[in-house]
Amino acid sequence: MDDMTAEHQVKGRGRSEAVIRSRILQAIFERRLPPGEKLTEDRLAELFGVSRTVVRQALARLAQDGIVEQQPNRGAFVAAPTRADAAHVLAARAVVEPEIAANVACSCGASALARLRGHITMEDQARASGDRAALVRLTGEFHVTLAEAAGNPVFVRLLTELHALSSLAILLYARGEHAACPPHEHGAIVAAIERGDAAEAARLMRTHIAHVASEMDLSEPLAKPSGLAQALGLKPSRQRSRVRDPQD
């Protein structure tokens, strides 16, 4: 095998891994892959037309980011964040994202600003048409798009991971029907960025993350039930008694 052929295969493998990761992430962003869903290597290899080795490498990368859980002798599963995990994710977002918004307000170029405006337009169109799947995806992608506007690839990787974990936490712990980010808040953040008001952009983002957190129930249960009777809200009897059939 010559060097050119080997290099082509490595690049092809990298593209395949990237495609698999991207499709899994998009399915999570759109909340089509729920927490705990099993990701079977054989089935993924068949769907993407690649070897199980390539699938295994893609899943390992997702596991490094906490998006996939690999369980010995059982396989890979979409992560199911605990309430504590979800609180940690939101706390991280509350620290990082206001700084990203402020950074973009200070340095956003014309093309990046046009992309942010275009993204808000797509959100508004999805909301007006009632396209819930698109709206959920777009409102989540806004935060990654903002990180891209900051021009820092570390921010992009971090926000992609935090966005995926937030999507999984929302599926598990949302109060009622949590459709997407609150309306108009993204537009207000972009307007502050357009004015170059870094402090206001950071404040609005901080408030926005607080609103997202307020729509989730992250309080831990007071105590785990000690048995089936307690879980069902019944008093355990002290003596076992057989329920008699009236026709006995």
Side-chain angles (χ1 to χ4, degrees), residues 38 70-77:
K38 186 167 185 178
Q70 293 180 317
Q71 301 179 14
N73 303 319
R74 294 194 63 214
F77 297 81

Side-chain angles (χ1 to χ4, degrees), residues 157-174:
R157 289 197 298 272
L158 178 59
L159 261 295
T160 299
E161 176 184 345
L162 291 174
H163 171 31
L165 292 172
S166 292
S167 296
L168 294 171
I170 286 169
L171 279 172
L172 289 168
Y173 307 119

Side-chain angles (χ1 to χ4, degrees), residues 242-248:
R242 186 171 68 90
V243 176
R244 295 181 60 83
D245 190 300
Q247 299 187 10
D248 278 357

